[in-house]
C-alpha cells in the first residue's frame, strides 16, 4: 500500500485529494509527514477537514515543509505572527485576496513552494469556494507546436500590477514591490515534471516579444489554463485546511458571497528559484 498512516481520497484524476487520519494540531511523525508530502506531490492540493490549530501549531505544520515566507505586501497588524496572512472579506471589502487565477507571490525571486490556508468563518448562504488547476496538465495538453514556442521563454512577474494596481497599496517604505523574471514553463524541483508558470495576477509580459505578440500568447495560455478539465473546486467548512503546491497548481478564490464574511489564516512555505530544464 502506497499510504499506510493516512487515507487519500482523490477528488479528480488531475488534481486534489482529501486526506484522512491526520491531526494537524499535533507534530507529525516522520512517516506521516512523508506521506502527507507524497500526497501533496501526487495531487497538487490536499484538503483536511475538522482541524483545530492555534497559530503556533499552524506555523509548526508549515515549518515541517520549509522556512516560512512573509508576504511582501501584508498589512498584517498582528506583530506576534508576521508569518500568518489573514485572508478576510466582509461588507467593507473592495477586493479579496486571490480572486483571479494565480500562483502565490510569483513576483518574488523565490516564490513560495506552498500555501496552507486554515478556514475559520464562512458565509452563511454558501459560496467562497476555491478552485485549483493543474499546471502540469495545462502544459501536457498544449499542442506540440505551442509547446515548442513556449519552452525556453521567460516572463516578467510584477507585484505592482496586483498590490499597487488592484489593491491600491503602497510598497513598504524604502522598498518596491517584487518584480522578477521566471521561465514560462518551469520544471518541478521534486517531481521533475514541467508546468506552465504564467498567471493573470502577476505576469506582465513575455521577455523579448513585441507587446501584441506577448499579450496574445499570454491570453491564449491563460484561457488554456482555465479549462475545467484541469480543475477541482473545494467547498470549505469551518476548520477545513487546504495545502497547495504553488509550483504545479494555480488557484482562484471565488468572491460570490459579498457582503457576507469569510475569514481564514494562511501560512506560506518558502520556495526556490523557478528553473526550466529542457
Ligand atoms: C489565496 O491565498 O490566494 C486566497 C485563497 C482563498 O481565499 O481561497
Amino acid at each position: 500500500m502506497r499510504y499506510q498512516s493516512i487515507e487519500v481520497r482523490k477528488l479528480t484524476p488531475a488534481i486534489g485529494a482529501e486526506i484522512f487520519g491526520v491531526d494537524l494540531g499535533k507534530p507529525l511523525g516522520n512517516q506521516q509527514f512523508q506521506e502527507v508530502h507524497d500526497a501533496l506531490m501526487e495531487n497538487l492540493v490536499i484538503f483536511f477537514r475538522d482541524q483545530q490549530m492555534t497559530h503556533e501549531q499552524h506555523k509548526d505544520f508549515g515549518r515541517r515543509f520549509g522556512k516560512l515566507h512573509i508576504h511582501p505586501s501584508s498589512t498584517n497588524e498582528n506583530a506576534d505572527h508576521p508569518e500568518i496572512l489573514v485572508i478576510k472579506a466582509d461588507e467593507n471589502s473592495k477586493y479579496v485576496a486571490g480572486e483571479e487565477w494565480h500562483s502565490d507571490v510569483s513576483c518574488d525571486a523565490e516564490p513560495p513552494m506552498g500555501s496552507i490556508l486554515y478556514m475559520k468563518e464562512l458565509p452563511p448562504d454558501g459560496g467562497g469556494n476555491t478552485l485549483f488547476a493543474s499546471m502540469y496538465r495545462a502544459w501536457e495538453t498544449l499542442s506540440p507546436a505551442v509547446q515548442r514556442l513556449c519552452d525556453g521563454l521567460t516572463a516578467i512577474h510584477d507585484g505592482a500590477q496586483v498590490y499597487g494596481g488592484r489593491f491600491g497599496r503602497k510598497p513598504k517604505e524604502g522598498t518596491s514591490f517584487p518584480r522578477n523574471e521566471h521561465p514560462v514553463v518551469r520544471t518541478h524541483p521534486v517531481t521533475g515534471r514541467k508546468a506552465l508558470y504564467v498567471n493573470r495576477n502577476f505576469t506582465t509580459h513575455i521577455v523579448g516579444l513585441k507587446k501584441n505578440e506577448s499579450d496574445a500568447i499570454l491570453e491564449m495560455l491563460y484561457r488554456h489554463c482555465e479549462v475545467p478539465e484541469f480543475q477541482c473546486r473545494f467547498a470549505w467548512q469551518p476548520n477545513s485546511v487546504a495545502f497547495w503546491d504553488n509550483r504545479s497548481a494555480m488557484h482562484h478564490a471565488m468572491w460570490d458571497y459579498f457582503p457576507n464574511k469569510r475569514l481564514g489564516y494562511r501560512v506560506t512555505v518558502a520556495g526556490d528559484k523557478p528553473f526550466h530544464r529542457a
Side-chain angles (χ1 to χ4, degrees):
M1 262 232 320
R2 175 105 200 259
Y3 298 103
Q4 287 170 0
S5 66
I6 59 174
E7 188 187 340
V8 178
R9 287 189 214 151
K10 278 181 176 292
L11 267 65
T12 78
I15 184 166
E18 281 206 58
I19 308 295
F20 299 86
V22 185
D23 180 352
L24 300 182
K26 295 201 178 121
L28 298 191
N30 288 342
Q31 176 165 358
Q32 214 169 42
F33 162 73
Q34 192 58 49
E35 292 191 5
V36 168
H37 178 267
D38 292 350
L40 179 64
M41 293 305 104
E42 183 183 343
N43 296 288
L44 292 57
V45 54
I46 51 180
F47 306 105
F48 306 81
R49 298 284 189 189
D50 302 320
Q51 298 293 324
Q52 294 299 333
M53 288 189 288
T54 62
H55 283 342
E56 283 304 340
Q57 290 165 334
H58 190 179
K59 291 194 291 186
D60 285 346
F61 176 58
R63 282 195 195 99
R64 284 303 305 262
F65 294 83
K67 235 173 95 215
L68 299 188
H69 169 272
I70 299 188
H71 200 280
S73 93
S74 168
T75 51
N76 191 354
E77 50 301 328
N78 188 344
D80 291 340
H81 299 285
E83 310 91 341
I84 300 268
L85 185 69
V86 179
I87 302 284
K88 179 178 162 195
D90 61 17
E91 75 278 10
N92 300 313
S93 300
K94 302 275 183 290
Y95 59 83
V96 302
E99 58 177 312
E100 184 60 90
W101 281 105
H102 66 289
S103 173
D104 286 326
V105 204
S106 69
C107 54
D108 268 3
E110 297 185 342
M113 95 32 120
S115 304
I116 305 166
L117 179 56
Y118 181 32
M119 197 57 72
K120 295 306 287 181
E121 286 182 48
L122 285 155
D125 304 325
N129 293 176
T130 307
L131 283 69
F132 297 88
S134 167
M135 292 303 101
Y136 293 145
R137 280 289 169 97
W139 164 251
E140 288 156 5
T141 53
L142 285 172
S143 347
V146 178
Q147 286 187 338
R148 281 195 296 278
L149 173 69
C150 294
D151 221 13
L153 291 175
T154 61
I156 301 297
H157 296 235
D158 193 345
Q161 179 162 278
V162 187
Y163 309 133
R166 190 142 55 81
F167 295 1
R169 291 187 193 151
K170 299 251 178 303
K172 289 176 191 153
E173 204 169 321
T175 70
S176 51
F177 292 120
R179 183 180 190 275
N180 284 286
E181 183 173 339
H182 297 309
V184 167
V185 185
R186 72 180 291 184
T187 304
H188 195 288
V190 179
T191 66
R193 293 175 70 184
K194 284 183 176 182
L196 269 182
Y197 195 64
V198 287
N199 67 81
R200 287 190 191 275
N201 247 9
F202 294 107
T203 312
T204 55
H205 63 279
I206 297 175
V207 175
L209 300 191
K210 297 187 180 117
K211 183 175 181 331
N212 61 336
E213 294 167 343
S214 167
D215 288 352
I217 292 172
L218 286 175
E219 185 59 30
M220 183 261 294
L221 294 177
Y222 297 152
R223 289 172 69 167
H224 175 70
C225 288
E226 292 163 7
V227 302
E229 283 84 346
F230 314 142
Q231 294 176 16
C232 70
R233 180 173 179 136
F234 187 58
W236 298 89
Q237 292 162 359
N239 303 318
S240 299
V241 173
F243 186 175
W244 58 88
D245 183 341
N246 283 300
R247 302 164 299 187
S248 54
M250 288 208 289
H251 58 286
H252 175 122
M254 189 62 71
W255 192 22
D256 52 1
Y257 50 89
F258 182 84
N260 290 321
K261 183 175 173 190
R262 179 178 182 268
L263 172 69
Y265 300 102
R266 194 180 94 191
V267 160
T268 310
V269 182
D272 44 20
K273 191 169 168 43
F275 64 93
H276 167 262
R277 196 181 295 134

